[in-house]
């Protein structure tokens, strides 16, 4: 028998007493009835769907509702479907398995006829309310409304997934078998059906159920619905927005449609979620667009790559992939952001995600993107009122970024303007106090001006804070890990997909990721394509094979979304093999479902002929530099390992004194930030490098390879894979400036380069561990070939040829190196196979082909840890790493004090209490004193002993601070410590290093 579509004037006493929320404090005497929470959730979801999501995924909705028989527009039908699903999401709380958790409320339900036998707490865990809700909804749709199992399972699976992990076949069958009684008897079923009928009637979806019963929803769309239901549930569960009531109150005053609408409007009005960004393309020329969006010299014109990127963004088939291959310093970032704004305008996307390889480059890009957004708003504001942008910085140390901290404070100010203006907040409610500004940050001492309120609010809005929600911000600058997480089975993955589906995605330095990481990146590209998300990829040294693989991954997603068959695995249909893509350098590549376009571009204004030279084994580096810098100049020496960098620094320091500095990854966070800032101020672009020294030598590791705009007169580098050598060359004569006559020609010396006439080419062991023997040998061959010719690398003309000389499937090797090359090839092949296999463990499957019955059941058949550091380890390969917080130990007589480091920012040399949580300034100083240990301590043979010994220094009182919780500490006495029998020392000039045993 079908339920009536008449809105009931009241609910049965049983349905009225079913509870949804109760404070964890049993003395609070507050609750929220389930019927009210369901209606709240439905109202929030409808608002979010209409105002926040639908305007940004119009193309996806058009595809999903193309053959709808309801007569509604895709937007209207989407809003109704979302509202209904959010309205029924918690129906599993109307079960004995859930109700017993609060005995007083369970007793009240029992009095109305909702009785049950005693429930075993352990058994109850077999039927969590999300799974119970999926069972109840699927049964109601099938038995009451006559749905076939496939469509009922599809929509019910969204309910089953609303706590972040969808149900599995096992949990719905073997796991549920024998526990059916936990759903309740007939009286419980009547209450469940009554509540489902109420939501269906109130949302106006009763007439649509018949049409929906015949639909086959795509899996990406179901994920989208799941993410939106989760967001709506979280918002409707927040007492700031939807207050709970006293146990004695029934909530009847909110039951009428009009009265509940007022409650919903009041709650929704408090939301910090801004209206979507509405980008527009005003048709400006590339030159004009560049000038209006970036802080560049007045006479700066768009490069050919930038011009063609703008043109491609306006004309390419959508959804589509855009790859920009351009030399280092060629303006790829500006090209990508201009293209992203245009692509967003074409598709109505609401933001941009910019993914970069490292935390340092991410911090730098965060500042650049804020400036870009401010200039966009300046341009848009002249045509109307400003908007609020939700921005997010995502990486393991994002909370230490001062710019991000300022924006978080701004976000809380917005939150408090919204809440504080409402008045009448109950002081006893458990929500956040409306006047609490600077909630978890230092109170802002900035005095707002009228201008602040007239221009855009660029804020990390309070609702978007948190690991699971920050991807929902409009503009996200992140380490690439957070993009790779989109391809990793982990809790609340639907939220990450919802956030990504609304954006344009930019990925920088796509050549620099390992085989293991590329497995995740390719799968992420497939899912982005399934959501019809345009993607922009950037590289200065991309191989043809890697370019083809990413194009293939993206096209697979488009074809699956269109309901087309695709070959299993990484193969492509005959005739469309990605290996057929020919990419000159520099160039632009565009791809849609069936077409790949390649456009050669002219190199940007920066061209150079780099003189390549070999450093002989018996060279004297100090002598070479003394001669080269006799008339002044700035030299960069790049080593592959921290140990070699430290040794070189100490050697050169003896000869050149204060002219030598060191930069690597084994400094504390504070020292790393200071050194990066010093690099930019001394060796950056002309307009920023105000203190370029007469003579300087910087010794560094790979930290200078990527995304740092620094310029040196001379380069000396260890042999590395050729793409990284080219990246390092990008720091040589990067900008036009006067240079000493001796250094007028850009020159790069290669150290530890074996000669082709030796039968046993020697590769430095540290470099071989990092990069692999095959890539090092092939790079040596390529560079030796240059040296045996003209000895010149023309940038960018020779870049592509050098890349293919190393990364092509087959490479010619010197006759005397054949045996070594074959051993290296076999080892590399095995390692790649192992990495591909290892990556499969938590790899998300491809989206199901559209047109077939799909659901979210088994979507995440295994889930990885979504903790920042643990998740990062799961999407990056390599040995484990450990970071420790350095503290100073001072002894005076029998007394022992723990202090912050003498160089700790904000609170240097301050005593740290051990009986309580330190103050915020001290905590920040401690966290900024974090440093990464060398691999010697974290290899599989030693890591357990290292962790055990560090565990002795954990202070229990510090675990109550979220920044210190779970951290490891290494106490230094007079700058030294002993760890598992190895002595280390730290100072701000050399970083953390091992002290040789005497």
């Amino acid at each position: 028998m079908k339920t009536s579509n008449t809105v009931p004037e009241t609910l049965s006493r049983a349905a009225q007493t079913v509870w949804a929320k109760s404070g964890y404090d049993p003395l609070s005497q507050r609750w929220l009835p389930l019927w009210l929470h369901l209606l709240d959730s439905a109202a929030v979801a409808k608002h979010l769907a209409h105002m926040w999501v639908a305007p940004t995924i119009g193309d996806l909705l058009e595809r999903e509702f193309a053959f709808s028989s309801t007569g509604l527009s895709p937007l209207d039908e989407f809003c109704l479907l979302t509202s209904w699903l959010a309205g029924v999401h918690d129906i599993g709380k109307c079960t004995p398995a859930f109700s017993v958790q609060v005995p007083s409320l369970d007793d009240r339900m029992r009095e109305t006829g909702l009785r049950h036998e005693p429930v075993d707490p352990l058994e109850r865990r077999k039927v969590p309310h999300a799974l119970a809700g999926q069972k109840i909804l699927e049964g109601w749709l099938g038995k009451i409304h006559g749905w076939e199992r496939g469509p009922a399972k599809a929509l019910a699976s969204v309910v089953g997934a609303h706590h972040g992990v969808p149900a599995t076949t096992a949990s719905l069958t073997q796991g549920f078998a024998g526990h059916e009684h936990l759903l309740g008897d007939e009286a419980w079923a009547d209450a469940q059906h009554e509540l489902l009928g109420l939501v269906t009637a109130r949302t106006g979806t009763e007439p649509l159920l018949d049409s929906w019963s015949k639909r086959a929803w795509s899996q990406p769309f179901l994920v989208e619905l799941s993410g939106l239901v989760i967001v709506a549930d979280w918002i409707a569960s927040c007492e700031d927005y939807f207050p709970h009531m006293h146990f004695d109150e029934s909530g009847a005053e909110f039951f009428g449609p009009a009265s509940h609408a007022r409650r919903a409007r009041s709650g929704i009005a408090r939301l910090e979620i801004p209206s979507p960004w509405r980008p527009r393309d005003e048709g400006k020329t590339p030159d004009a667009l560049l000038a209006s969006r970036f802080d560049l010299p007045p006479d700066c014109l768009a490069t050919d790559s930038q011009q063609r990127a703008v043109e491609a963004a306006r004309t390419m088939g959508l959804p589509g992939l855009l790859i920009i291959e351009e030399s280092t310093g060629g303006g790829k970032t500006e090209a990508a952001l201009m293209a992203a704004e245009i692509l967003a305008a074409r598709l109505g996307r609401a933001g941009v995600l910019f993914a970069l390889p490292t935390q340092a480059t991410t911090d730098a890009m965060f500042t650049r993107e804020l400036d870009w957004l401010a200039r966009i708003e300046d341009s848009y504001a002249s045509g109307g009122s400003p908007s609020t942008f939700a921005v997010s910085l995502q990486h393991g140390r994002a909370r230490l970024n001062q710019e991000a901290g300022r924006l978080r404070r701004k976000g809380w100010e917005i939150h408090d303007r919204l809440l504080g203006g409402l008045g009448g907040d109950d002081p006893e409610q458990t929500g956040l106090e409306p006047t609490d500004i600077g909630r978890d940050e230092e109170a802002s001492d900035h005095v707002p001006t009228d201008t602040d309120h007239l221009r855009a609010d660029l804020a990390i809005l309070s609702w978007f804070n948190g690991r699971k929600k920050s991807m929902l911000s409009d503009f996200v600058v992140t380490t690439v890990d957070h993009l790779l997480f989109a391809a990793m089975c982990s809790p609340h993955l639907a939220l990450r997909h919802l956030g990504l589906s609304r954006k344009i995605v930019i990925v920088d330095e796509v050549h620099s990721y390992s085989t293991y990481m590329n497995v995740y990146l390719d799968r992420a590209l497939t899912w982005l394509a399934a959501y019809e998300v345009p993607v922009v990829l950037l590289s200065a040294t991309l191989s043809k094979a890697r370019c083809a693989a990413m194009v293939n991954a993206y096209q697979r997603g488009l074809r699956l979304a269109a309901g087309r068959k695709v070959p299993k695995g990484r193969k492509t249909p005959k005739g469309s093999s990605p290996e057929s893509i020919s990419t000159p350098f520099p160039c632009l590549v565009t791809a849609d479902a069936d077409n790949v376009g390649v456009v050669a571009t002219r190199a940007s204004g920066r061209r150079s002929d780099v003189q390549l030279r070999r450093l002989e084994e018996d060279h004297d580096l100090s002598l070479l530099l003394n001669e080269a810098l006799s008339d002044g100049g700035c030299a960069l020496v790049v080593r592959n390992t921290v140990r070699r960098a430290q040794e070189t620094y100490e050697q050169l320091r003896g000869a050149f004194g204060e002219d030598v500095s060191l930069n690597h990854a084994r400094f504390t966070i504070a020292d790393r930030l200071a050194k990066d800032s010093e690099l930019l101020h001394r060796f950056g672009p002309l307009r920023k490098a105000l203190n370029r020294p007469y003579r300087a030598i910087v010794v560094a590791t790979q930290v200078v390879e990527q995304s740092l705009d620094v310029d040196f007169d001379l380069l000396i580098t260890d042999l590395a894979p050729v793409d990284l050598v080219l990246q390092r060359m990008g720091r040589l004569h990067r900008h036009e400036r006067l240079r000493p006559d001796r250094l007028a020609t850009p020159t790069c010396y290669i150290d530890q380069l074996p000669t082709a006439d030796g039968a046993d080419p020697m590769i430095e062991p540290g470099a071989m561990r990092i990069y692999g023997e095959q890539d090092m040998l092939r790079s040596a061959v390529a560079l030796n070939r240059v040296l045996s010719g003209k000895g010149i690398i023309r940038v960018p003309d020779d870049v592509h040829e050098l890349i293919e000389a190393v990364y092509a499937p087959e490479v010619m090797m010197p006759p005397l190196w054949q045996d070594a090359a074959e051993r290296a090839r076999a080892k590399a092949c095995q390692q790649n196979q192992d990495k591909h296999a290892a990556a499969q463990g938590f790899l998300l499957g491809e989206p199901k082909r559209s047109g077939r019955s799909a659901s979210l059941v088994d979507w995440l058949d295994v889930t990885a840890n979504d903790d920042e550091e643990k998740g990062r380890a799961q999407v990056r390969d390599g040995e484990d790493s450990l970071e420790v917080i350095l503290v100073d130990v001072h002894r005076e007589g029998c007394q022992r004090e723990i202090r912050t480091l003498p160089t700790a920012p904000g609170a240097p040399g301050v005593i740290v209490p051990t009986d309580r949580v330190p103050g915020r300034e001290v905590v920040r100083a401690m966290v900024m004193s974090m440093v990464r240990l060398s691999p010697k301590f974290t290899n599989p043979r030693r890591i357990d002993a290292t962790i055990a010994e560090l565990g002795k220094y954990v202070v229990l009182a510090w675990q109550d601070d979220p920044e210190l919780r779970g951290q490891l500490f290494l106490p230094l006495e007079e700058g030294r410590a002993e760890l598992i029998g190895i002595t280390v020392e730290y100072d701000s000039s050399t970083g953390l290093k091992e002290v040789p045993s005497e």
Side-chain angles (χ1 to χ4, degrees):
M1 178 179 73
K2 289 191 176 184
T3 56
S4 168
N5 63 357
T6 302
V7 178
E9 294 183 2
T10 187
L11 286 172
S12 68
R13 286 191 63 235
Q16 289 179 40
T17 60
V18 180
W19 67 276
K21 304 286 180 184
S22 175
Y24 287 103
D25 180 2
L27 301 178
S28 69
Q29 296 287 298
R30 303 190 69 79
W31 80 305
L32 192 69
L34 179 59
W35 65 264
L36 184 53
H37 177 58
L38 296 182
L39 294 181
D40 290 345
S41 300
V44 171
K46 187 173 184 180
H47 171 79
L48 293 177
H50 186 267
M51 300 299 296
W52 185 55
V53 176
T56 68
I57 59 167
D59 48 341
L60 181 60
L61 298 183
E62 290 287 345
R63 183 187 77 195
E64 200 67 28
F65 292 97
F67 304 105
S68 172
S69 61
T70 64
L72 297 173
S73 70
L75 185 150
D76 289 339
E77 189 168 355
F78 171 66
C79 292
L80 287 170
L81 176 60
T82 304
S83 178
W84 177 71
L85 280 172
V88 301
H89 80 280
D90 257 352
I91 193 61
K93 290 184 174 180
C94 184
T95 59
F98 182 83
S99 69
V100 296
Q101 294 177 92
V102 179
S104 59
L105 295 175
D106 185 48
D107 290 343
R108 188 157 66 181
M109 293 170 62
R110 189 187 301 272
E111 293 171 1
T112 68
L114 297 178
R115 301 181 178 87
H116 57 80
E117 296 297 321
V119 176
D120 182 343
L122 293 178
E123 183 189 14
R124 183 181 66 77
R125 297 177 184 176
K126 297 286 188 179
V127 189
H129 76 268
L131 185 145
Q134 179 169 341
K135 282 283 189 180
I136 292 167
L137 181 60
E138 187 174 338
W140 182 74
L141 291 172
K143 295 174 183 177
I144 304 299
H145 289 274
W147 283 37
E148 296 290 336
R149 185 169 183 272
K153 176 183 177 183
L155 292 185
S157 71
V158 175
V159 168
H162 83 267
H163 273 280
V165 181
T168 63
T169 299
S171 67
L172 291 168
T173 53
Q174 302 101 297
F176 182 70
H179 307 293
E180 293 83 356
H181 61 282
L182 292 179
L183 298 186
D185 58 18
E186 188 174 344
W188 287 87
D190 288 343
Q192 293 159 4
H193 293 177
E194 188 178 355
L195 290 167
L196 291 171
L198 171 69
V199 171
T200 304
R202 284 289 182 88
T203 56
T205 51
E206 173 79 21
L208 306 179
L209 292 184
D210 185 61
S211 174
W212 291 345
S213 72
K214 302 176 178 64
R215 295 296 307 275
W217 308 100
S218 72
Q219 193 176 51
F221 181 67
L222 293 174
V223 176
E224 195 88 351
L225 288 172
S226 174
L228 195 44
V229 167
I230 292 171
V231 174
D233 179 29
W234 283 358
I235 292 174
S237 300
C238 179
E239 286 194 68
D240 274 346
Y241 310 136
F242 295 93
H244 296 180
M245 58 197 65
H246 193 270
F247 274 4
D248 295 335
E249 298 177 284
S250 68
E253 68 271 24
F254 299 119
F255 185 78
S259 59
H260 183 263
R262 286 193 293 272
R263 172 182 166 91
R265 283 196 299 270
S266 174
I268 290 169
R270 305 174 186 220
L271 289 180
E272 301 97 332
I273 298 179
S275 298
W277 178 44
R278 286 181 164 76
R280 53 181 187 253
D281 179 12
E282 299 169 334
K284 290 183 177 180
T285 66
D287 291 340
L289 191 60
L290 184 73
S292 65
R293 298 295 186 262
F294 303 100
D295 180 20
L296 297 170
D299 58 346
C300 188
L301 300 177
T303 65
D304 189 49
S305 289
Q306 291 168 345
Q307 292 180 23
R308 291 182 182 273
V310 168
E311 180 184 352
R314 287 173 173 156
T315 60
M316 63 186 285
L318 294 179
L321 176 71
L322 172 63
I323 303 176
I324 302 174
E325 296 188 44
E326 174 60 282
S327 57
T328 302
K332 294 186 295 295
T333 297
E334 292 80 3
L337 289 173
M338 289 191 292
E341 184 181 359
I342 294 167
L343 291 169
R346 287 183 64 187
L347 289 178
R349 287 302 194 267
V352 176
L353 177 135
F354 207 122
L356 301 104
T358 66
Q359 293 177 354
T361 57
T362 301
D363 279 334
M365 182 53 64
F366 187 62
T367 301
R368 292 177 68 180
E369 184 155 315
L370 291 178
D371 181 66
W372 172 68
L373 283 172
R375 290 172 182 274
I376 284 179
E377 192 57 26
D378 286 341
S379 176
Y380 288 7
S382 60
S385 60
S387 60
T388 299
F389 294 149
V391 297
S392 175
L393 173 67
Q394 284 198 343
H395 61 65
R397 299 168 182 158
R399 295 189 68 82
L400 302 180
N401 181 284
Q402 293 183 341
E403 187 69 16
R406 181 185 68 78
L407 289 172
R408 269 191 294 275
R409 293 194 294 272
K410 186 70 171 175
W412 280 111
E413 290 167 9
I414 295 170
H415 175 277
D416 293 328
R417 289 206 302 270
L418 291 162
L419 282 177
L422 295 169
D425 292 82
D426 184 347
E428 294 184 5
Q429 74 181 58
T430 58
L432 298 167
E433 292 292 333
T435 56
D436 182 12
I437 296 176
R439 205 162 311 271
D440 62 350
E441 295 287 332
E442 301 86 350
S444 173
D445 56 6
H446 169 70
V447 179
T449 65
D450 292 340
T451 306
D452 291 329
H453 298 295
L454 289 175
R455 63 176 292 106
D457 280 315
L458 286 174
I460 298 180
L461 294 168
S462 60
W463 198 87
F464 289 106
N465 268 320
R467 184 177 70 248
K468 294 174 180 176
K469 295 181 291 187
S470 52
M471 188 62 78
L472 300 175
S473 296
D474 300 333
F475 296 90
V476 178
V477 182
T478 175
T479 49
V480 74
D481 310 90
H482 286 272
L483 176 62
L484 303 186
F485 288 165
M488 183 181 76
C489 295
S490 58
H492 291 99
L493 183 61
L495 285 179
R496 196 173 296 276
H497 281 220
L498 174 63
L500 288 169
S501 71
R502 304 175 60 249
K503 298 180 178 64
I504 308 298
V505 171
I506 303 171
V507 190
D508 198 8
E509 311 279 10
V510 291
H511 60 272
S512 64
Y513 307 124
S514 68
T515 299
Y516 184 96
M517 296 172 70
N518 283 334
V519 173
Y520 283 93
L521 177 57
D522 289 351
R523 186 57 49 84
L525 289 173
T526 298
W527 274 94
L528 290 171
Y531 291 117
E532 304 196 358
V533 172
V535 176
V536 182
L537 306 177
L538 310 179
S539 179
T541 54
L542 187 63
S543 69
K544 291 180 181 179
R546 189 69 201 115
C547 175
M550 291 187 290
V551 168
N552 178 41
Y554 190 83
Q555 288 184 322
R556 287 179 68 86
L558 295 180
R559 292 166 182 163
L560 287 167
R564 295 163 56 179
K565 291 184 178 180
V566 298
K568 291 184 178 181
R570 305 173 71 200
K571 298 178 181 178
T572 54
K574 187 176 180 181
S576 60
S577 170
E579 283 77 10
S580 64
I581 301 175
S582 177
T583 52
F585 187 85
C587 72
L588 262 62
V589 179
T590 57
D592 56 27
D594 296 302
N595 304 293
V596 177
V598 179
V599 177
T601 59
R602 296 192 307 275
S604 65
R606 182 178 176 273
R607 305 183 66 94
S608 62
D609 291 350
V610 178
Q611 183 76 46
L612 194 68
R613 295 182 181 175
R614 181 199 312 274
L615 274 183
E616 301 300 335
E617 286 187 27
D618 58 351
H619 72 273
D620 184 329
L621 185 59
S622 297
L623 186 63
L624 185 153
L625 286 169
N626 189 56
E627 181 179 346
L629 304 181
S630 59
D631 297 328
C634 302
L636 173 64
V637 181
V638 184
R639 297 308 196 196
N640 289 331
T641 64
V642 173
R643 178 187 58 80
R644 278 182 53 76
Q646 289 172 331
E647 290 172 353
T648 300
Y649 167 78
E650 290 173 346
Q651 172 197 345
L652 296 178
R653 186 83 167 185
F656 297 95
E658 295 294 325
D659 289 343
V660 188
S661 60
L662 178 63
N663 199 337
H664 56 70
R666 224 167 287 158
F667 283 100
T668 63
I669 296 172
D671 286 341
R672 277 286 306 276
L673 292 174
K675 286 177 175 295
D676 285 348
S677 177
E678 182 185 27
L679 274 177
L680 291 171
H681 279 92
R682 300 180 76 201
F683 309 107
L686 284 167
R687 64 184 186 282
K688 294 182 179 179
L690 304 179
N691 300 308
R692 189 173 180 89
Y694 170 75
R695 186 177 75 167
I697 301 168
V698 174
V699 182
T701 58
Q702 297 89 334
V703 295
V704 297
E705 282 176 4
Q706 298 168 339
S707 302
L708 274 179
D709 190 1
V710 289
D711 173 20
F712 292 89
D713 304 313
L714 176 67
L715 173 64
I716 299 168
T717 174
D718 282 347
L719 173 67
V722 75
D723 52 328
L724 302 185
V725 172
L726 291 168
Q727 286 285 121
R728 296 171 187 182
M729 285 183 183
R731 278 66 195 150
L732 181 61
H733 287 220
R734 187 178 178 94
H735 298 292
E736 292 293 334
R737 56 167 29 108
L738 291 175
R739 304 182 192 274
D741 290 342
R742 290 173 180 267
L743 304 175
T745 299
T747 302
C748 171
Y749 287 88
I750 306 292
D751 199 0
Q752 299 193 320
L753 174 62
T755 59
D757 55 6
D760 188 16
M762 294 297 296
I763 302 296
E764 197 271 323
M768 193 158 59
R769 281 195 303 270
I770 297 169
Y771 301 121
E773 187 176 12
Q774 176 173 262
D775 288 353
M776 292 292 283
L777 287 176
R778 289 183 169 193
S779 297
V781 171
L783 295 173
N784 276 325
R785 192 173 295 132
V786 173
L787 288 169
S788 65
K790 294 182 178 180
I792 292 174
I793 295 179
R794 297 172 300 161
V795 179
D797 299 357
D798 296 339
V799 167
H800 215 265
E801 182 181 345
L802 284 168
I803 295 294
E804 293 307 311
V806 174
Y807 296 108
E810 299 295 332
V811 173
M812 291 292 294
M813 302 295 287
L816 294 177
W817 288 18
Q818 289 296 333
D819 289 344
E822 181 55 32
R823 289 195 304 269
R825 189 202 64 78
K827 186 176 180 180
C829 183
Q830 185 61 54
Q831 288 176 337
N832 283 339
Q833 290 177 3
D834 293 345
K835 289 179 179 181
H836 273 286
Q840 304 302 312
F842 294 108
L843 183 66
L844 183 67
E846 287 188 327
K848 303 295 184 184
R849 181 158 61 96
S850 293
R852 293 190 170 188
S853 179
S855 76
L856 298 183
V857 174
D858 294 326
W859 184 53
L860 305 179
D861 55 349
V862 61
T863 53
N865 195 308
D866 66 344
D867 173 80
E868 167 75 27
E869 285 301 316
K870 292 179 180 178
R872 181 179 181 273
Q874 284 154 352
V875 295
R876 291 182 186 252
D877 55 338
E879 289 185 345
D880 292 328
S881 62
L882 282 180
E883 290 181 318
V884 296
I885 292 176
L886 301 179
V887 293
D888 256 359
V889 174
H890 283 250
R891 297 183 187 273
E892 290 189 13
C894 296
Q895 293 206 339
R896 178 178 179 269
E897 292 177 345
I898 296 179
R899 298 185 182 185
T900 59
L901 293 185
T903 57
V910 173
I911 296 175
V912 183
T914 57
D915 59 345
R916 64 186 185 277
V917 171
R920 179 156 295 280
E921 283 290 340
V922 175
V923 169
R924 180 180 175 82
M926 294 170 72
V927 176
M928 294 293 280
S929 300
M930 187 181 296
V931 67
R932 190 174 298 274
L933 294 177
S934 79
K936 176 173 285 192
F937 295 98
T938 58
N939 65 54
R941 293 179 291 105
R942 288 174 167 162
I943 188 169
D944 290 339
T946 300
I947 292 174
E949 187 164 332
L950 290 170
K952 296 187 302 185
Y953 306 123
V954 171
V955 177
L956 291 179
W958 297 349
Q959 300 305 301
D960 291 333
D961 183 273
E963 300 291 344
L964 300 181
R965 186 180 303 128
Q967 300 293 351
L968 297 171
F969 301 86
L970 181 62
L972 304 176
E973 293 195 46
E974 297 182 352
R976 289 191 172 189
E978 186 173 295
L979 183 59
I980 61 168
I982 301 170
T983 302
V984 294
E985 68 177 14
Y986 184 86
D987 69 58
S988 292
S989 61
T990 57
L992 189 69
K993 70 173 185 176
E994 181 182 344
V995 179
S997 56
E998 297 180 358

